[in-house]
Amino acid sequence: MLSARQRSAAAIAAATALNLPFGTIYAFSVFLRPMESMLGIGRAEMTVVFGMATISLTVGMNLAPLLYRLVPPVPLVLLAGLGGAVGLGLTASAQGLVQFALGYGLLFGFGGGIAFIVVQQGVNQTVATGRGLVNGYVVALYPLGAMIGAPLFGWAIDAYGLRATLTGLALVVCVATALTSWLIRLADIRMHDASAAAAVHDQRWPIFLRLFVVFFLAAAAGLMVMSQAAGIIQAYGGRTMLALGATTAITGAIAAARLGGGWLVDRFPMPIVAAGAHAWAVAGAVLLTLWPGPLVAIPALAMIGMGYGFISGSTAGAIAQYWHRNAFGRIAGQMYIAWCVAAISLPVLAGWLYDRTQGYGAAVLVAAGVNVLGALLALGLPRRREA
């Protein structure tokens, strides 16, 4: 039998193995031009599919707490992971928008959502200290997967084509699913602490709703960057290779910010961390508005994305502070509805504006406005309450 520390390490390793390949959803911007060319669709259709993927991801996240009370975690992870792989296979063979939307927009997102909450709940059931940092790490795995995936996808698309690249990603998801299932079985991870008091049904609506809106506003601006970073940099005059390299750097910065957000909320009050994150994003939008250009766009977009990253990591840590660990999966799944709504708000609007103006200036100004509002609302969050 593994020790408590070994079980925690196995849970974190399981989350790492599965979240990295599913996190390539954040490298979606690399697929924009190749997929548009292959299927003959526009930027607005691409952002709609990305929005569908985030909706199905969120639906999976909210179904996961119900499912892991009914189905053991190992078969549940297997079903979720293999479902995502099937979705990628359908995307690789797509001949039109409908099959692309079914495979990537529905199946890949749905499988990723279930898998994400299952492994994150497993981590919270095994880790006793530094939960802000650990939860920041878990949510950082999605942009980290995109950071790894973006340059690999760019190289593979040039060398082998888009269809072969997506097929390869499907195979990686299958291998990661098998490894994660083995780690969960090895650590004997349970999804619910039966020894805890029946708690866990106190929603604390005023706190939840304020945190929800603060997270939504950061995510709206951040997902615009994450879903269209390569396209935005190209619109500001950057070449393709610069855009791909910058996408990697930006997603890396967001991953680091998610980890940093979790670390910060272990040490400083959530209102200060969240308001500071939004203010950092505003500074990036102002920078790009005043000095438009490809070399300024890279750090400016990184700042907007990092604002979202800080909020994402600190929100996961704040959930661990405000609610009992048995409720973590349920509250986190509900909180990620904000992420879903954000993905079909400003990112879609930005795509629509681009199709009509061939630029992203107006979208950057909108992002600045939502981040200002987010900073003001963040100041009203509770300083701390241990669950």
mmCIF file of all heavy atoms in Angstrom, residues 223-258:
data_model
loop_
_atom_site.group_PDB
_atom_site.id
_atom_site.type_symbol
_atom_site.label_atom_id
_atom_site.label_comp_id
_atom_site.label_asym_id
_atom_site.label_seq_id
_atom_site.Cartn_x
_atom_site.Cartn_y
_atom_site.Cartn_z
ATOM 1 N N LEU A 223 -9.449 33.883 -23.031
ATOM 2 C CA LEU A 223 -9.745 32.895 -24.065
ATOM 3 C C LEU A 223 -9.703 33.509 -25.457
ATOM 4 O O LEU A 223 -9.438 32.805 -26.437
ATOM 5 C CB LEU A 223 -11.106 32.254 -23.802
ATOM 6 C CG LEU A 223 -11.148 31.298 -22.610
ATOM 7 C CD1 LEU A 223 -12.565 30.819 -22.353
ATOM 8 C CD2 LEU A 223 -10.223 30.112 -22.827
ATOM 9 N N MET A 224 -9.967 34.802 -25.559
ATOM 10 C CA MET A 224 -9.777 35.456 -26.848
ATOM 11 C C MET A 224 -8.315 35.324 -27.283
ATOM 12 O O MET A 224 -8.021 35.024 -28.448
ATOM 13 C CB MET A 224 -10.158 36.934 -26.751
ATOM 14 C CG MET A 224 -9.962 37.711 -28.052
ATOM 15 S SD MET A 224 -10.056 39.495 -27.857
ATOM 16 C CE MET A 224 -8.466 39.846 -27.076
ATOM 17 N N VAL A 225 -7.408 35.524 -26.345
ATOM 18 C CA VAL A 225 -5.985 35.398 -26.644
ATOM 19 C C VAL A 225 -5.621 33.947 -26.933
ATOM 20 O O VAL A 225 -4.951 33.637 -27.925
ATOM 21 C CB VAL A 225 -5.143 35.938 -25.470
ATOM 22 C CG1 VAL A 225 -3.667 35.603 -25.663
ATOM 23 C CG2 VAL A 225 -5.333 37.442 -25.338
ATOM 24 N N MET A 226 -6.084 33.028 -26.072
ATOM 25 C CA MET A 226 -5.662 31.631 -26.209
ATOM 26 C C MET A 226 -6.196 30.986 -27.477
ATOM 27 O O MET A 226 -5.526 30.161 -28.093
ATOM 28 C CB MET A 226 -6.101 30.840 -24.984
ATOM 29 C CG MET A 226 -5.462 31.327 -23.694
ATOM 30 S SD MET A 226 -5.647 30.181 -22.339
ATOM 31 C CE MET A 226 -4.428 28.952 -22.772
ATOM 32 N N SER A 227 -7.404 31.347 -27.878
ATOM 33 C CA SER A 227 -7.996 30.703 -29.049
ATOM 34 C C SER A 227 -7.523 31.315 -30.361
ATOM 35 O O SER A 227 -7.605 30.667 -31.410
ATOM 36 C CB SER A 227 -9.526 30.770 -28.972
ATOM 37 O OG SER A 227 -9.975 32.115 -29.055
ATOM 38 N N GLN A 228 -7.022 32.555 -30.322
ATOM 39 C CA GLN A 228 -6.705 33.242 -31.573
ATOM 40 C C GLN A 228 -5.353 33.948 -31.542
ATOM 41 O O GLN A 228 -5.109 34.859 -32.329
ATOM 42 C CB GLN A 228 -7.805 34.263 -31.892
ATOM 43 C CG GLN A 228 -9.179 33.623 -32.030
ATOM 44 C CD GLN A 228 -10.274 34.632 -32.306
ATOM 45 O OE1 GLN A 228 -10.149 35.453 -33.207
ATOM 46 N NE2 GLN A 228 -11.350 34.566 -31.553
ATOM 47 N N ALA A 229 -4.465 33.527 -30.647
ATOM 48 C CA ALA A 229 -3.191 34.234 -30.485
ATOM 49 C C ALA A 229 -2.417 34.317 -31.792
ATOM 50 O O ALA A 229 -1.916 35.393 -32.172
ATOM 51 C CB ALA A 229 -2.348 33.538 -29.418
ATOM 52 N N ALA A 230 -2.279 33.181 -32.494
ATOM 53 C CA ALA A 230 -1.521 33.190 -33.751
ATOM 54 C C ALA A 230 -2.160 34.130 -34.762
ATOM 55 O O ALA A 230 -1.470 34.914 -35.437
ATOM 56 C CB ALA A 230 -1.427 31.773 -34.307
ATOM 57 N N GLY A 231 -3.483 34.070 -34.868
ATOM 58 C CA GLY A 231 -4.185 34.942 -35.803
ATOM 59 C C GLY A 231 -4.064 36.410 -35.441
ATOM 60 O O GLY A 231 -3.943 37.273 -36.319
ATOM 61 N N ILE A 232 -4.104 36.730 -34.143
ATOM 62 C CA ILE A 232 -3.989 38.130 -33.715
ATOM 63 C C ILE A 232 -2.611 38.683 -34.067
ATOM 64 O O ILE A 232 -2.479 39.801 -34.593
ATOM 65 C CB ILE A 232 -4.252 38.246 -32.200
ATOM 66 C CG1 ILE A 232 -5.712 37.894 -31.879
ATOM 67 C CG2 ILE A 232 -3.964 39.663 -31.713
ATOM 68 C CD1 ILE A 232 -6.014 37.829 -30.393
ATOM 69 N N ILE A 233 -1.568 37.913 -33.791
ATOM 70 C CA ILE A 233 -0.213 38.381 -34.085
ATOM 71 C C ILE A 233 -0.016 38.554 -35.586
ATOM 72 O O ILE A 233 0.604 39.523 -36.046
ATOM 73 C CB ILE A 233 0.818 37.412 -33.489
ATOM 74 C CG1 ILE A 233 0.749 37.460 -31.959
ATOM 75 C CG2 ILE A 233 2.233 37.736 -33.969
ATOM 76 C CD1 ILE A 233 1.502 36.363 -31.260
ATOM 77 N N GLN A 234 -0.570 37.651 -36.384
ATOM 78 C CA GLN A 234 -0.484 37.799 -37.831
ATOM 79 C C GLN A 234 -1.252 39.036 -38.297
ATOM 80 O O GLN A 234 -0.823 39.736 -39.216
ATOM 81 C CB GLN A 234 -1.010 36.537 -38.510
ATOM 82 C CG GLN A 234 -0.059 35.342 -38.370
ATOM 83 C CD GLN A 234 -0.672 34.054 -38.885
ATOM 84 O OE1 GLN A 234 -1.873 33.828 -38.789
ATOM 85 N NE2 GLN A 234 0.170 33.185 -39.428
ATOM 86 N N ALA A 235 -2.395 39.319 -37.647
ATOM 87 C CA ALA A 235 -3.165 40.502 -38.012
ATOM 88 C C ALA A 235 -2.403 41.787 -37.712
ATOM 89 O O ALA A 235 -2.603 42.808 -38.384
ATOM 90 C CB ALA A 235 -4.501 40.502 -37.265
ATOM 91 N N TYR A 236 -1.513 41.752 -36.722
ATOM 92 C CA TYR A 236 -0.692 42.913 -36.394
ATOM 93 C C TYR A 236 0.621 42.939 -37.178
ATOM 94 O O TYR A 236 1.498 43.755 -36.893
ATOM 95 C CB TYR A 236 -0.412 42.958 -34.895
ATOM 96 C CG TYR A 236 -1.534 43.576 -34.097
ATOM 97 C CD1 TYR A 236 -2.525 42.775 -33.519
ATOM 98 C CD2 TYR A 236 -1.623 44.952 -33.928
ATOM 99 C CE1 TYR A 236 -3.565 43.340 -32.801
ATOM 100 C CE2 TYR A 236 -2.660 45.524 -33.207
ATOM 101 C CZ TYR A 236 -3.634 44.719 -32.650
ATOM 102 O OH TYR A 236 -4.680 45.282 -31.936
ATOM 103 N N GLY A 237 0.762 42.044 -38.157
ATOM 104 C CA GLY A 237 1.905 42.094 -39.052
ATOM 105 C C GLY A 237 2.960 41.033 -38.828
ATOM 106 O O GLY A 237 3.994 41.039 -39.513
ATOM 107 N N GLY A 238 2.733 40.107 -37.895
ATOM 108 C CA GLY A 238 3.716 39.068 -37.632
ATOM 109 C C GLY A 238 3.684 37.959 -38.666
ATOM 110 O O GLY A 238 2.633 37.625 -39.208
ATOM 111 N N ARG A 239 4.839 37.372 -38.938
ATOM 112 C CA ARG A 239 4.906 36.246 -39.861
ATOM 113 C C ARG A 239 4.455 34.960 -39.176
ATOM 114 O O ARG A 239 4.341 34.891 -37.954
ATOM 115 C CB ARG A 239 6.329 36.094 -40.401
ATOM 116 C CG ARG A 239 6.783 37.277 -41.263
ATOM 117 C CD ARG A 239 8.164 37.052 -41.824
ATOM 118 N NE ARG A 239 8.584 38.166 -42.663
ATOM 119 C CZ ARG A 239 8.298 38.266 -43.953
ATOM 120 N NH1 ARG A 239 7.601 37.316 -44.543
ATOM 121 N NH2 ARG A 239 8.721 39.309 -44.659
ATOM 122 N N THR A 240 4.236 33.913 -39.983
ATOM 123 C CA THR A 240 3.674 32.674 -39.459
ATOM 124 C C THR A 240 4.552 32.054 -38.378
ATOM 125 O O THR A 240 4.065 31.667 -37.308
ATOM 126 C CB THR A 240 3.461 31.664 -40.591
ATOM 127 O OG1 THR A 240 2.558 32.220 -41.555
ATOM 128 C CG2 THR A 240 2.876 30.363 -40.056
ATOM 129 N N MET A 241 5.845 31.951 -38.622
ATOM 130 C CA MET A 241 6.730 31.327 -37.644
ATOM 131 C C MET A 241 6.805 32.147 -36.361
ATOM 132 O O MET A 241 6.861 31.600 -35.263
ATOM 133 C CB MET A 241 8.126 31.128 -38.233
ATOM 134 C CG MET A 241 8.183 30.074 -39.334
ATOM 135 S SD MET A 241 7.436 28.490 -38.829
ATOM 136 C CE MET A 241 8.510 28.031 -37.458
ATOM 137 N N LEU A 242 6.792 33.476 -36.490
ATOM 138 C CA LEU A 242 6.767 34.324 -35.298
ATOM 139 C C LEU A 242 5.479 34.088 -34.520
ATOM 140 O O LEU A 242 5.497 33.990 -33.284
ATOM 141 C CB LEU A 242 6.873 35.797 -35.701
ATOM 142 C CG LEU A 242 6.737 36.814 -34.548
ATOM 143 C CD1 LEU A 242 7.897 36.665 -33.570
ATOM 144 C CD2 LEU A 242 6.660 38.241 -35.099
ATOM 145 N N ALA A 243 4.365 33.974 -35.240
ATOM 146 C CA ALA A 243 3.079 33.767 -34.574
ATOM 147 C C ALA A 243 3.049 32.432 -33.838
ATOM 148 O O ALA A 243 2.554 32.340 -32.711
ATOM 149 C CB ALA A 243 1.943 33.831 -35.597
ATOM 150 N N LEU A 244 3.588 31.376 -34.464
ATOM 151 C CA LEU A 244 3.600 30.066 -33.811
ATOM 152 C C LEU A 244 4.511 30.071 -32.589
ATOM 153 O O LEU A 244 4.164 29.540 -31.530
ATOM 154 C CB LEU A 244 4.051 28.997 -34.799
ATOM 155 C CG LEU A 244 3.082 28.670 -35.947
ATOM 156 C CD1 LEU A 244 3.713 27.674 -36.897
ATOM 157 C CD2 LEU A 244 1.763 28.134 -35.396
ATOM 158 N N GLY A 245 5.690 30.676 -32.729
ATOM 159 C CA GLY A 245 6.588 30.757 -31.584
ATOM 160 C C GLY A 245 6.002 31.585 -30.462
ATOM 161 O O GLY A 245 6.129 31.240 -29.278
ATOM 162 N N ALA A 246 5.336 32.691 -30.816
ATOM 163 C CA ALA A 246 4.714 33.534 -29.806
ATOM 164 C C ALA A 246 3.572 32.814 -29.108
ATOM 165 O O ALA A 246 3.366 32.984 -27.893
ATOM 166 C CB ALA A 246 4.198 34.819 -30.453
ATOM 167 N N THR A 247 2.811 31.993 -29.860
ATOM 168 C CA THR A 247 1.732 31.219 -29.241
ATOM 169 C C THR A 247 2.282 30.305 -28.157
ATOM 170 O O THR A 247 1.707 30.176 -27.074
ATOM 171 C CB THR A 247 0.994 30.388 -30.308
ATOM 172 O OG1 THR A 247 0.411 31.274 -31.265
ATOM 173 C CG2 THR A 247 -0.097 29.532 -29.686
ATOM 174 N N THR A 248 3.411 29.689 -28.431
ATOM 175 C CA THR A 248 4.051 28.836 -27.430
ATOM 176 C C THR A 248 4.459 29.646 -26.200
ATOM 177 O O THR A 248 4.212 29.238 -25.060
ATOM 178 C CB THR A 248 5.288 28.152 -28.032
ATOM 179 O OG1 THR A 248 4.902 27.399 -29.176
ATOM 180 C CG2 THR A 248 5.947 27.238 -27.025
ATOM 181 N N ALA A 249 5.076 30.804 -26.427
ATOM 182 C CA ALA A 249 5.513 31.638 -25.316
ATOM 183 C C ALA A 249 4.327 32.145 -24.495
ATOM 184 O O ALA A 249 4.373 32.173 -23.255
ATOM 185 C CB ALA A 249 6.331 32.815 -25.837
ATOM 186 N N ILE A 250 3.258 32.535 -25.181
ATOM 187 C CA ILE A 250 2.090 33.072 -24.485
ATOM 188 C C ILE A 250 1.417 31.994 -23.642
ATOM 189 O O ILE A 250 1.054 32.226 -22.477
ATOM 190 C CB ILE A 250 1.105 33.677 -25.501
ATOM 191 C CG1 ILE A 250 1.689 34.969 -26.086
ATOM 192 C CG2 ILE A 250 -0.255 33.952 -24.859
ATOM 193 C CD1 ILE A 250 0.932 35.491 -27.288
ATOM 194 N N THR A 251 1.247 30.803 -24.216
ATOM 195 C CA THR A 251 0.619 29.737 -23.433
ATOM 196 C C THR A 251 1.508 29.313 -22.269
ATOM 197 O O THR A 251 1.014 28.954 -21.199
ATOM 198 C CB THR A 251 0.299 28.525 -24.324
ATOM 199 O OG1 THR A 251 1.462 28.146 -25.059
ATOM 200 C CG2 THR A 251 -0.822 28.844 -25.295
ATOM 201 N N GLY A 252 2.824 29.382 -22.455
ATOM 202 C CA GLY A 252 3.728 29.103 -21.342
ATOM 203 C C GLY A 252 3.578 30.127 -20.233
ATOM 204 O O GLY A 252 3.582 29.789 -19.042
ATOM 205 N N ALA A 253 3.440 31.393 -20.615
ATOM 206 C CA ALA A 253 3.234 32.445 -19.618
ATOM 207 C C ALA A 253 1.923 32.249 -18.870
ATOM 208 O O ALA A 253 1.842 32.471 -17.649
ATOM 209 C CB ALA A 253 3.250 33.815 -20.301
ATOM 210 N N ILE A 254 0.886 31.817 -19.582
ATOM 211 C CA ILE A 254 -0.409 31.582 -18.935
ATOM 212 C C ILE A 254 -0.323 30.399 -17.977
ATOM 213 O O ILE A 254 -0.868 30.421 -16.867
ATOM 214 C CB ILE A 254 -1.495 31.358 -20.002
ATOM 215 C CG1 ILE A 254 -1.707 32.646 -20.799
ATOM 216 C CG2 ILE A 254 -2.815 30.910 -19.362
ATOM 217 C CD1 ILE A 254 -2.590 32.490 -22.011
ATOM 218 N N ALA A 255 0.387 29.341 -18.388
ATOM 219 C CA ALA A 255 0.571 28.188 -17.500
ATOM 220 C C ALA A 255 1.297 28.607 -16.231
ATOM 221 O O ALA A 255 0.918 28.221 -15.112
ATOM 222 C CB ALA A 255 1.348 27.088 -18.225
ATOM 223 N N ALA A 256 2.364 29.404 -16.380
ATOM 224 C CA ALA A 256 3.097 29.878 -15.203
ATOM 225 C C ALA A 256 2.217 30.749 -14.326
ATOM 226 O O ALA A 256 2.278 30.678 -13.090
ATOM 227 C CB ALA A 256 4.340 30.656 -15.648
ATOM 228 N N ALA A 257 1.362 31.572 -14.954
ATOM 229 C CA ALA A 257 0.466 32.430 -14.182
ATOM 230 C C ALA A 257 -0.570 31.609 -13.412
ATOM 231 O O ALA A 257 -0.938 31.966 -12.285
ATOM 232 C CB ALA A 257 -0.230 33.416 -15.117
ATOM 233 N N ARG A 258 -1.047 30.525 -13.994
ATOM 234 C CA ARG A 258 -1.990 29.671 -13.263
ATOM 235 C C ARG A 258 -1.325 29.078 -12.029
ATOM 236 O O ARG A 258 -1.917 29.053 -10.936
ATOM 237 C CB ARG A 258 -2.505 28.561 -14.181
ATOM 238 C CG ARG A 258 -3.463 29.042 -15.243
ATOM 239 C CD ARG A 258 -4.098 27.880 -15.990
ATOM 240 N NE ARG A 258 -5.154 28.349 -16.875
ATOM 241 C CZ ARG A 258 -6.132 27.578 -17.323
ATOM 242 N NH1 ARG A 258 -6.184 26.309 -16.973
ATOM 243 N NH2 ARG A 258 -7.058 28.072 -18.119
#
